[in-house]
Amino acid sequence: MAHTLNIRGTLLSLEKPCVMGILNLTPDSFYAQSRTADTGAALRKVERMLEEGMDMLDMGAVSSRPGAELPDEEEERRRLQGTLQAVTARFPDLIVSIDTFRSSIARMSADYGAHIINDISGGAYDADMFSTVGRLQLPYVLMHIRKKPVDMQDDPRYDDVVTDLLSYFSQKMAQARMAGIHDLILDPGFGFAKTMAHNYRLLARLHDFAMLGAPVLAGMSRKSMFCKLLGCTPQEALNATTAAHMVALLNGASILRVHDVKEAVQCVKIFCQCRHDGAVNPDNNQI
């Protein structure tokens, strides 16, 4: 299914999967090399990611790594505001997503030119988020999580993780659409209230989420699902990430959220070439 997103009046086709580069404006993100110290460094990083083929940027000023305490609104705003202004001014054609769970930050970000709101909480941390995004008429990334980052990994359990997430998304999508949100992107939340086994089951069954009729974002870059399986560090997990990205693409992912743009762009290019030449079945993306 070829999805589209309404980006401030312009339709963006997701027939070719998009690469979303990560810009962390935090001092404590789990992958140390992704942390950005100041606006100048952020602009240089965005420019490099664009040169490597990035389709859209995801900016976040709150670390949601396991065990993280969430900063208050004032701190999130302080980290984000100046750099967001600088990025949208320097790169006016760049599609910018803002990783926030606060409706007030979503409003501020829209005022400064952001195009997408990416909410790890699926609207659970701020009761005004759905109505705010509905009024803003921006695409919304609806992610699955249980509890909060500080305790989300405390013995997460599901009857069946795929079935449970399908039910969760069905209910949340109905609520979001009632609030006026038309463009929804689904993120199963790899590493968020999931064991390693849950993560790999979701990856293997990612194609099941096509029944919900919305594009799927895969955010797995350098996460512990690889480190635990392979006995490596996030710094050593690039090859594993790329392998998992290809599995995600074969199983229908429309957006890859990544630290390493060049490698993800190459992965998408190979996938598209295989699809074009008939090596991938267009009905189910299986080789």
Side-chain angles (χ1 to χ4, degrees), residues 44-59:
R44 290 190 294 273
K45 186 169 185 177
V46 173
E47 186 168 24
R48 183 177 73 251
M49 289 193 288
L50 281 168
E51 290 171 352
E52 293 176 342
M54 174 177 66
D55 299 298
M56 54 183 68
L57 177 72
D58 191 48
M59 298 177 62

Side-chain angles (χ1 to χ4, degrees), residues 5-6 17 24 62 68 75 81 98 104 109 112 142 153 161 169 171 197 223 226 231 249 266 271-272 287:
L5 296 177
N6 185 340
N24 283 325
V62 173
E75 177 63 15
Q81 187 170 359
I98 299 299
S104 58
S109 300
Y112 289 127
L142 173 63
Q153 290 304 106
V161 68
F169 282 130
Q171 295 173 26
K223 286 190 173 178
F226 310 124
L249 293 172
Q266 291 174 345
F271 167 76
C272 290
I287 289 178

Side-chain angles (χ1 to χ4, degrees), residues 163-177:
T163 303
D164 287 2
L165 263 67
L166 286 170
S167 176
Y168 167 89
F169 282 130
S170 295
Q171 295 173 26
K172 286 284 189 174
M173 290 172 73
Q175 295 168 13
R177 287 185 171 135

Side-chain angles (χ1 to χ4, degrees), residues 3-15:
H3 298 287
T4 59
L5 296 177
N6 185 340
I7 305 294
R8 292 186 178 266
T10 299
L11 284 184
L12 172 69
S13 172
L14 299 179
E15 182 174 3

Side-chain angles (χ1 to χ4, degrees), residues 31 33 222-223 226-227 230-242 260:
Y31 179 45
Q33 282 86 334
R222 296 182 180 266
K223 286 190 173 178
F226 310 124
C227 301
L230 303 176
C232 67
T233 65
Q235 290 74 16
E236 299 167 324
L238 175 56
N239 190 54
T241 297
T242 304
D260 307 281

Side-chain angles (χ1 to χ4, degrees), residues 83-157:
T83 299
L84 174 57
Q85 287 179 277
V87 167
T88 54
R90 176 80 170 272
F91 308 103
D93 297 327
L94 174 61
I95 298 171
V96 176
S97 165
I98 299 299
D99 185 350
T100 185
F101 58 85
R102 292 186 170 105
S103 60
S104 58
I105 299 296
R107 286 194 300 272
M108 178 198 77
S109 300
D111 288 343
Y112 289 127
H115 305 86
I116 299 171
I117 301 302
N118 179 10
D119 179 6
I120 65 162
S121 82
Y125 298 172
D126 186 334
D128 294 328
M129 181 60 95
F130 280 3
S131 59
T132 296
V133 177
R135 286 193 298 272
L136 294 172
Q137 286 294 287
L138 299 181
Y140 177 76
V141 181
L142 173 63
M143 199 191 84
H144 174 270
I145 191 175
R146 285 181 174 176
K147 299 188 281 190
K148 292 190 176 181
V150 69
D151 59 358
M152 66 183 177
Q153 290 304 106
D154 294 349
D155 194 27
R157 298 188 181 204

